Amino acid sequence: MIEKRDFYIDGRWTAPLAPRDCAVIDPSTEEPCAVISLGSAADADRAVAAAKAAFPAWAATPPAERRAVVVRILEQYEKRKEEMAEAISCEMGAPIDMARDSQAPCLPWHLTNFLRAFDEIEWVKPLGPHAPNDRIALEPIGVVGLITPWNWPMNQIALKAIPALLAGCTCVLKPSEESPLNAMLFAEFCHDAGVPPGVFNLVNGDGMGVGTRLSTHPDVEMISFTGSTRAGIAISKAAAETLKRVTLELGGKGANVIFADADEKAVKRGVLHMMNNSGQSCNAPSRMLVERSVYDRAVETAAEVAASVKVGPASEPGRHIGPVVNKRQWEQIQGYIQKGIDEGARLIAGGLGLPEGMNKGFYVRPTVFADVKPGMTIEREEIFGPVLSIIPFEDEAEAVRIANDTPYGLTNYVQTQDGAKRNRMALALKAGMVEMNGQSRGAGSPFGGVKASGRAREGGHWGIEEFLEVKAISGWATDLAAE
């Protein structure tokens, strides 16, 4: 078992004021892999006070110096990236190869993209030729609270902490208590990179304690949250009293629209994408909409692909999916599978219970339902597990109607060789992101949704701008030499 230091506040590791031990459970074994302490509102207050005190100097630090500090964080990661992968694998169940290849490298990927965007920022720029003495200035918003989830833990920390630091903000991070070890490593990276005391702070805790205090604290100017829609609504309500900025990246129920002329790998690609990370991704393509003329063949292919997906411990190398994060999540997914059966969907792969040969660990059988009807529970609600729903449609108009008939609007997917149809679908789908024919979004593209998926835009220019205030200035002196 790993014993970790507790909180990182004002440039040093410190114990909580009223320690509450919390075991971090390895979901592959159901055994503790670490013990941390959960903090309280008073611990959050300490961290906010440190961030507030550090803000004036950090905000006034020249952009080039802030950039240099962030580059040194990347250097620390490169020295210890195997530790990062092992921590993520242990705490949330990502298979070790996936942790090395996908989960941990989110930090250098996003950091590099942010640096590219940062170098293009014009901190004070003219309004336009029609107003020669007007300027628009970009300034850091202040102390920010960062609340991150367990499913892609380093991804979300990188998407929040790095742009906040570049923007000149000081921050307090509350990671998920399910996956705190990667966050504590990140705090070590910040310390060893020479981030000034108080600029980055970390307090472990739960949502009701530390999360609520950050959301209501009068000295916190902004909350950046990734998690469930339910929690996002609660945070928005809590933050309203202090009129702070709130950016939310929430759940999803992505539609993957497969037309008859889709490439031959489209169905397989969609199933594997759904099962990736054991289905624990907000942008998972959990609703596969298939044109009626190729529906039967797609169902058959999906069943075969799902049956071929292996499930195994996170510690083992190889191309398999691991467990889901905890018992509560496992039980919730089992409830959804039962609901799908009860409501009349046709189970074609997977199903209830642990995979064959397993009697321990929070493993879910890769599950596919066919003949799912719009309005069924498994079609409407985010399951957050390896469960795919397949729905037939007759034509483009019906595909758009079904895809958009959801409270969510994060990522939708389109598979067709018809370029004009792709473009029409991309504009008709109500989502923050649309990916087509298996092509991922480019580096620096914003990540975020609409409706119940929240309206954050994380990554690239947009990700930095979320942490900046816009100041309009008139009467700017343009010819100082003449004075």
Side-chain angles (χ1 to χ4, degrees):
M1 188 185 303
I2 305 169
E3 297 288 347
K4 299 295 289 187
R5 291 177 287 184
D6 295 311
F7 303 157
Y8 185 72
I9 298 176
D10 203 17
R12 60 185 182 273
W13 292 95
T14 180
L17 296 174
R20 287 188 295 146
D21 282 349
C22 174
V24 180
I25 303 300
D26 181 341
S28 294
T29 65
E30 302 186 39
E31 299 293 334
C33 65
V35 173
I36 63 166
S37 293
L38 297 182
S40 63
D43 294 304
D45 287 345
R46 286 196 294 154
V48 171
K52 182 180 180 181
F55 174 70
W58 183 245
T61 300
E65 292 184 23
R66 296 201 299 268
R67 187 189 197 283
V69 170
V70 168
V71 169
R72 293 199 297 270
I73 293 174
L74 177 58
E75 293 169 355
Q76 293 301 316
Y77 166 82
E78 292 296 339
K79 294 176 183 177
R80 304 178 65 183
K81 57 187 177 183
E82 179 62 19
E83 286 181 70
M84 179 63 74
E86 291 175 356
I88 294 172
S89 181
C90 164
E91 63 191 344
M92 57 76 58
I96 187 60
D97 284 352
M98 181 200 177
R100 290 180 180 129
D101 298 340
S102 299
Q103 288 268 7
C106 288
L107 175 56
W109 168 257
H110 291 307
L111 191 153
T112 302
N113 293 335
F114 279 128
L115 290 177
R116 183 183 302 113
F118 182 78
D119 290 341
E120 298 172 356
I121 293 176
E122 194 173 357
W123 297 93
V124 179
K125 59 185 177 182
L127 175 63
H130 66 289
N133 297 110
D134 279 44
R135 293 294 182 271
I136 301 298
L138 301 178
E139 298 179 347
I141 192 170
V143 176
V144 298
L146 313 176
I147 304 176
T148 56
W150 48 260
N151 59 320
W152 285 90
M154 186 44 53
N155 184 72
Q156 295 310 127
I157 291 173
L159 281 170
K160 299 180 190 301
I162 297 301
L165 295 175
L166 287 170
C169 296
T170 56
C171 50
V172 179
L173 169 66
K174 189 209 85 65
S176 168
E177 60 271 36
E178 301 286 350
S179 59
L181 305 183
N182 72 97
M184 299 172 90
L185 268 178
F186 181 81
E188 293 180 10
F189 296 170
C190 290
H191 179 85
D192 295 342
V195 175
V199 171
F200 174 84
N201 306 273
L202 176 137
V203 179
N204 285 313
D206 55 26
M208 292 300 294
V210 175
T212 297
R213 182 53 181 155
L214 291 177
S215 301
T216 58
H217 201 296
D219 291 333
V220 173
E221 298 292 340
M222 172 182 168
I223 291 289
S224 178
F225 170 78
T226 298
S228 70
T229 299
R230 174 194 55 77
I233 292 170
I235 286 171
S236 297
K237 291 179 178 178
E241 288 291 333
T242 50
L243 298 176
K244 56 174 54 66
R245 182 183 297 175
V246 178
T247 61
L248 304 172
E249 199 280 282
L250 308 176
K253 194 69 181 177
N256 183 12
V257 183
I258 300 179
F259 288 95
D261 66 342
D263 66 272
E264 61 180 13
K265 295 182 179 179
V267 173
K268 179 179 180 178
R269 185 168 62 241
V271 174
L272 294 179
H273 189 173
M274 179 63 235
M275 302 306 166
N276 185 48
N277 205 39
S278 300
Q280 300 171 121
S281 299
C282 53
N283 62 342
S286 53
R287 294 182 298 152
M288 181 178 285
L289 280 55
V290 182
E291 193 165 2
R292 179 75 70 177
S293 62
V294 293
Y295 179 76
D296 290 341
R297 185 166 74 250
V299 167
E300 182 179 339
T301 299
E304 293 173 355
V305 173
S308 72
V309 174
K310 296 180 180 179
V311 183
S315 58
E316 291 185 0
R319 296 177 61 84
H320 60 278
I321 65 172
V324 296
V325 71
N326 58 30
K327 184 177 182 180
R328 182 183 71 252
Q329 191 74 12
W330 187 88
E331 290 176 344
Q332 180 171 292
I333 295 165
Q334 298 302 306
Y336 276 115
I337 294 172
Q338 185 63 60
K339 199 79 168 176
I341 295 169
D342 294 344
E343 292 184 359
R346 177 161 58 104
L347 182 67
I348 61 171
L352 295 166
L354 291 168
E356 186 177 350
M358 292 181 168
N359 58 17
K360 196 173 187 181
F362 306 123
Y363 300 99
V364 176
R365 300 169 67 191
T367 297
V368 180
F369 284 98
D371 305 344
V372 175
K373 293 181 173 58
M376 285 184 174
T377 302
I378 58 172
E379 191 269 341
R380 297 291 294 175
E381 298 184 13
E382 186 178 38
I383 298 173
F384 228 59
V387 181
L388 173 66
S389 298
I390 308 182
I391 307 161
F393 68 87
E394 297 295 340
D395 55 25
E396 186 177 333
E398 186 180 25
V400 170
R401 181 180 60 78
I402 295 172
N404 287 341
D405 184 20
T406 171
Y408 297 102
L410 190 58
T411 314
N412 284 332
Y413 303 83
V414 178
Q415 321 296 329
T416 175
Q417 300 304 304
D418 184 332
K421 184 184 293 184
R422 284 204 308 275
N423 292 353
R424 289 194 304 270
M425 290 292 294
L427 296 176
L429 293 171
K430 302 302 181 185
M433 300 170 285
V434 179
E435 298 183 8
M436 299 188 285
N437 287 353
Q439 184 172 331
S440 299
R441 293 170 300 110
S445 177
F447 188 102
V450 298
K451 302 192 291 185
S453 294
R455 285 178 167 81
R457 290 296 181 271
E458 297 184 321
H461 291 274
W462 297 268
I464 298 174
E465 289 170 0
E466 286 197 326
F467 293 94
L468 295 170
E469 298 277 32
V470 176
K471 177 187 286 183
I473 303 169
S474 61
W476 186 266
T478 58
D479 188 10
L480 295 179
E483 298 177 3

